[in-house]
Amino acid sequence: DYNLRLQLSLLYAQNGDQLNALKQSDAAITIDPNRPEAHANSAPLLYLISGQLPAKAAQQQYVAQALAGFNKAIEVDPNYSDSYFFRAVLYYGALQDFARAQIDLQNYLVKAPDGTWAALARQLLAQVTKELESPSTTVPPTSTTRKK
């Protein structure tokens, strides 16, 4: 049963058991891949697990899988707002892609202005906007610094 697998996944996650939570989310996806909740649930689990892996390549692979999970959840149901919030967290934290994080946070707040994550989304949106508005620390090439 899709809903039972998803509930079991959430319970495992609440108890800090990300691996079993991920297995249950994956089982729910297998039962019904056309619903967004399990995709949106497995993606942050993959992101959390990525931070526990010692190898950088494995971390990057899990982050890529998490991003794919969020993208799939949004593809399946573009109105499932939580996907936008958590994908923004991934863009901000793991990928340092502030522009995409800003877009996703704005989408979340339009779709769920009083949603579960609205207060956090507003705080993160302020941080992301500040990052985008702050001057870059890299020096753009000039005629004196370009290779000839």
Side-chain angles (χ1 to χ4, degrees):
D1 179 270
Y2 178 91
N3 290 325
L4 290 176
R5 293 288 184 160
L6 191 57
Q7 288 175 357
L8 188 55
S9 174
L10 294 172
L11 289 172
Y12 275 124
Q14 286 175 354
N15 287 319
D17 189 346
Q18 285 102 4
L19 291 177
N20 278 319
L22 183 60
K23 287 178 187 177
Q24 295 304 318
S25 282
D26 287 347
I29 291 169
T30 301
I31 292 167
D32 189 351
N34 296 315
R35 291 178 60 184
E37 303 89 357
H39 294 289
N41 188 59
S42 68
L45 292 167
L46 288 164
Y47 178 45
L48 289 172
I49 292 168
S50 76
Q52 301 169 8
L53 300 173
K56 189 75 168 168
Q59 289 174 357
Q60 292 171 339
Q61 180 182 3
Y62 271 68
V63 167
Q65 288 176 353
L67 181 58
F70 288 127
N71 292 341
K72 183 65 176 177
I74 291 168
E75 175 189 321
V76 168
D77 184 355
N79 293 314
Y80 190 69
S81 59
D82 285 4
S83 300
Y84 293 95
F85 174 75
F86 288 110
R87 187 172 70 174
V89 171
L90 179 78
Y91 278 138
Y92 179 78
L95 301 174
Q96 301 289 295
D97 189 336
F98 304 127
R100 287 188 177 165
Q102 184 181 51
I103 291 167
D104 276 354
L105 290 165
Q106 291 168 340
N107 278 326
Y108 172 79
L109 289 168
V110 166
K111 293 175 186 308
D114 298 319
T116 304
W117 311 107
L120 288 173
R122 286 183 184 90
Q123 290 175 352
L124 186 55
L125 182 57
Q127 290 175 344
V128 166
T129 302
K130 184 178 178 182
E131 289 286 344
L132 288 170
E133 291 173 350
S134 68
S136 174
T137 57
T138 59
V139 177
T142 64
S143 60
T144 58
T145 59
R146 278 191 211 128
K147 291 182 181 178
K148 294 185 182 191

